[in-house]
């Protein structure tokens, strides 16, 4: 019976806990969480609440419970060097060291790495520490994207057309970003359709998992502000309806080359998840960014489909033997819908913003799976926090069925909550297919 340390408190980690708990190895889960996630707690032998920067608390908890290895869910503990601290006491992690996690935590690191090793997929870009030269570069680009260099919880990137209109406005925003002390990446804006390719990596071998499409915008029809992600879907064939087979191969090849570049650059092996955020454009697949962990929601699409024992997958990642393991996923479609407080993503003076701390009731979700995210379990019931509350996942042979299951599940959550109805609908998917067809002229 292996003892496994799980770090994280979101719906992604609830899905990870479930994948670990399903293992035939009968593992015992020891969870280190920032807040008490009732779903993770119910699958854990022991829970310790603390901060992801508290390396002593985490390593102490690991030693005390004779942990074989850790699974690190979110980016914050990776950024804080939790994998490094555990490694110093000979406990391996699925999750990269602080230096390797720069793949996610520093967008300039990754853009520069991709350039230096001549890997395809980068936009035209430049990294700035001071404002000199920014204006001239802004004027060279046809479409502009501004990225502060560092973790911003998915809410830091500014896109022309969405967040600002003109190069002059962009220049003012650049000044603000630099004044806040961050480096700034200015890059060319791509037009296309985005997809998430989450790969497992042992430092040498890269294994793809089913493709997923996330929905960042708060409201139906991709309207409203960007969020941490309102939901996602995947198809039974593990591809997406708007992609060509070559697009997946290109995303995989870029990720393989990046894994090799990371090794060449740092001399150490990347062990964990390389999640590529890609965009299919008229000129092929381009790289938006990497995350150094599973996506949230995207983990909820793929982990329930994993047929291979997840504990075995982790052991092979740690041992560097992923090339010797056959990793299989069920051929089913999935739809994940996040139930969020009505006020989620809205300005604090909006009338719905008060919905944040309200009580909710969780009824019977039918055939759907339920993954807790930011909820507060109090003695008298379950309360919303300011963030996404519950991920509901439908799994079925077809996307339509999966969506129906998710919809029914969502309706079982009562309270001042909201969700996106359009995720996984034919209409939304057709829009994406048509868009890409138009720009690819095929
Ligand atoms: N070069 C780009 N061209 C077009 N859109 C972009 C580009 N870079 C980022 N975006 C948009 O901004 C979103 C957030 O950017 P991303 O690099 O994924 O950062 P993060 O997820 O850390 O916010 C993307 O999902 C995409 O919609
Ligand atoms: Mg992103």
């Amino acid at each position: 019976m292996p003892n496994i340390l799980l770090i994280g408190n979101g719906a992604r980690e609830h899905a990870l806990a479930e994948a670990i708990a399903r293992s035939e190895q009968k593992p015992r889960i020891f969870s280190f969480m920032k807040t008490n996630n009732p779903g993770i707690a119910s699958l854990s032998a022991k829970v310790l609440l603390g901060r992801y920067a508290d390396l002593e608390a985490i390593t102490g908890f690991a030693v005390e419970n004779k942990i074989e290895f850790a699974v690190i869910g979110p980016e914050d503990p990776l950024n804080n060097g939790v994998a490094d601290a555990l490694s110093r006491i000979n406990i391996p992690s699925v999750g990269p060291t602080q230096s390797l996690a720069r793949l996610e935590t520093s967008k300039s690191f990754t853009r520069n790495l991709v350039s230096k090793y001549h890997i395809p997929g980068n936009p035209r870009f430049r990294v700035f520490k001071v404002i000199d030269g920014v204006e001239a570069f802004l004027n060279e680009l046809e479409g502009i994207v501004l990225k502060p260099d560092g973790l911003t919880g998915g809410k830091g990137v500014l896109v022309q057309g969405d967040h600002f209109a003109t190069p002059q406005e962009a220049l003012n925003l650049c000044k603000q970003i630099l004044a806040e002390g961050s480096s700034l990446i200015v890059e060319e804006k791509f037009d296309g359709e985005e997809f998430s390719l989450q790969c497992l990596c042992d430092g040498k071998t890269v294994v793809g998992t089913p493709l997923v499409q996330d929905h960042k915008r708060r409201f139906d029809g991709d309207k409203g502000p960007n969020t941490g992600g309102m939901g996602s879907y995947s198809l039974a064939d593990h591809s997406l309806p708007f992609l060509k087979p070559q697009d997946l191969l290109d995303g995989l090849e870029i990720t393989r080359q990046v894994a090799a570049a990371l090794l060449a650059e740092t001399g150490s092996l990347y062990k964990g998840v390389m999640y590529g955020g890609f965009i299919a454009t008229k000129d092929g697949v381009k790289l938006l960014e990497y995350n150094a962990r599973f996506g949230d929601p995207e983990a909820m699409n793929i982990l329930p489909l994993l047929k291979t024992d997840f504990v075995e997958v982790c052991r092979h990642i740690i041992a560097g033997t992923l090339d010797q393991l056959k990793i299989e996923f069920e051929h089913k479609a999935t739809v994940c819908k996040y139930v969020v407080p009505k006020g989620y993503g809205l300005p604090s003076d909006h009338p719905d913003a008060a919905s944040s701390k309200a009580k909710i009731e969780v009824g019977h979700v039918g055939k759907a799976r339920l993954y807790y995210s930011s909820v507060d379990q109090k003695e008298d019931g379950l309360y919303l926090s300011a963030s996404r509350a519950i991920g509901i996942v439908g799994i079925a042979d077809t996307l339509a069925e999966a969506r129906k299951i998710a919809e029914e599940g969502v309706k079982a959550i009562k309270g001042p909550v909201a969700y996106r109805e359009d995720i996984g609908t034919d209409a939304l998917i057709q829009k994406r297919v048509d868009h890409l067809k138009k720009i690819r002229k095929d």
Side-chain angles (χ1 to χ4, degrees):
M1 283 214 312
N3 289 355
I4 296 170
L5 173 61
L6 176 62
I7 297 170
N9 60 280
R12 165 184 48 216
E13 289 76 29
H14 188 180
L16 281 165
E18 190 189 78
I20 297 168
R22 271 203 330 261
S23 166
E24 286 182 3
Q25 314 270 334
K26 305 244 181 311
R28 296 202 305 165
I29 302 175
F30 295 81
S31 295
F32 188 92
M33 299 194 261
K34 201 164 63 174
T35 55
N36 193 29
N37 179 314
I40 299 173
S42 73
L43 295 168
S44 301
K46 220 192 246 179
V47 167
L48 182 64
L49 299 184
R51 290 177 306 114
Y52 296 144
D54 191 346
L55 302 182
E56 247 171 76
I58 295 170
T59 52
F61 187 54
V63 170
E64 203 174 287
N65 294 298
K66 305 195 167 50
I67 294 299
E68 179 188 318
F69 64 83
V71 177
I72 304 173
E75 59 275 28
D76 284 337
L78 296 170
N79 190 32
N80 295 336
V82 167
D84 310 61
L86 288 167
S87 160
R88 285 194 287 272
I89 54 167
N90 298 317
I91 296 174
S93 295
V94 175
T97 58
Q98 192 176 40
S99 166
L100 288 164
R102 282 181 294 167
L103 182 66
E104 167 166 5
T105 61
S106 170
K107 290 182 195 296
S108 67
F109 170 80
T110 299
R111 286 282 182 236
N112 286 327
L113 186 81
V114 168
S115 273
K116 177 172 170 189
Y117 289 84
H118 307 292
I119 301 167
N122 257 351
R124 284 192 65 194
F125 79 99
R126 271 185 65 188
V127 182
F128 295 95
K129 292 199 163 60
V130 292
I131 201 74
D132 303 335
V134 171
E135 190 171 11
F137 190 59
L138 288 171
N139 287 323
E140 278 178 36
L141 297 177
E142 261 185 44
I144 301 166
V145 176
L146 308 176
K147 301 187 174 187
D149 201 9
L151 291 178
T152 57
K155 289 147 204 161
V157 170
L158 301 170
V159 179
Q160 189 168 23
D162 290 340
H163 304 97
F164 62 90
T166 62
Q168 186 53 48
E169 283 171 47
L171 184 63
N172 289 331
L173 292 165
C174 291
K175 285 180 187 157
Q176 281 175 32
I177 293 170
L178 289 168
E180 281 156 21
S182 172
S183 299
L184 162 75
I185 300 109
V186 178
E187 62 186 45
E188 166 196 1
K189 179 183 170 182
F190 294 123
D191 185 17
E193 286 297 331
E194 293 178 41
F195 61 97
S196 304
L197 171 56
Q198 303 171 93
C199 291
L200 304 166
C201 181
D202 65 2
K204 288 188 172 142
T205 301
V206 167
V207 179
T209 71
L211 292 172
V212 182
Q213 189 168 45
D214 184 20
H215 299 71
K216 288 281 179 210
R217 298 307 190 103
R218 171 67 174 77
F219 298 111
D220 277 31
D222 292 329
K223 302 238 159 53
N226 268 332
T227 68
M230 290 296 294
S232 45
Y233 68 89
S234 71
L235 295 186
D237 67 0
H238 298 167
S239 184
L240 290 167
F242 48 84
L243 294 182
K244 300 180 199 163
Q246 189 60 39
D247 296 326
L248 167 60
L249 296 176
D250 289 349
L252 272 174
E253 181 54 28
I254 291 172
T255 305
R256 291 204 170 102
Q257 292 190 27
V258 170
L262 283 168
L263 179 58
E265 189 69 13
T266 67
S268 43
L269 297 164
Y270 185 105
K271 293 183 183 290
V273 177
M274 295 175 72
Y275 156 167
F278 291 103
I279 183 164
T281 74
K282 69 176 170 36
D283 303 314
V285 168
K286 303 289 178 184
L287 176 68
L288 296 178
E289 64 155 354
Y290 273 104
N291 294 314
R293 41 146 182 112
F294 283 116
D296 186 351
E298 295 96 319
M300 290 181 275
N301 298 93
I302 66 145
L303 289 169
L305 300 184
L306 183 62
K307 289 206 278 189
T308 315
D309 191 317
F310 185 63
V311 170
E312 280 307 307
V313 173
C314 293
R315 284 182 173 152
H316 281 267
I317 289 173
I318 289 160
T321 51
L322 263 188
D323 59 334
Q324 289 161 37
L325 184 70
K326 190 160 184 220
I327 298 181
E328 288 182 293
F329 293 87
E330 280 182 74
H331 284 275
K332 295 220 184 263
T334 67
V335 173
C336 174
K337 295 196 177 216
Y338 249 121
V339 176
V340 304
K342 256 198 179 135
Y344 177 61
L346 301 178
S348 54
D349 56 355
H350 191 279
D352 276 338
S355 69
S356 301
K357 300 280 147 88
K359 195 171 171 185
I360 53 170
E361 302 288 339
V362 178
H364 185 55
V365 297
K367 282 202 269 177
R369 312 240 184 155
L370 181 153
Y371 298 101
Y372 286 105
S373 184
S374 294
V375 285
D376 192 3
Q377 180 80 64
K378 293 187 187 167
E379 268 176 30
D380 66 335
L382 203 60
Y383 284 79
L384 295 170
S385 77
S387 202
R388 298 175 296 176
I390 295 176
I392 298 286
V393 181
I395 302 174
D397 290 329
T398 65
L399 189 70
E401 273 175 84
R403 190 177 81 84
K404 204 166 137 241
I405 293 169
E407 282 282 326
E408 281 166 14
V410 162
K411 299 230 159 76
I413 318 288
K414 305 280 188 219
V417 292
Y419 71 99
R420 269 183 67 165
E421 276 186 41
D422 62 346
I423 294 170
T425 56
D426 291 343
L428 190 64
I429 291 174
Q430 196 55 46
K431 214 171 87 185
R432 306 230 152 101
V433 171
D434 293 344
H435 175 217
L436 204 53
K437 231 186 205 156
K438 195 171 133 211
I439 60 177
R440 282 183 157 175
K441 300 190 185 73
D442 59 15

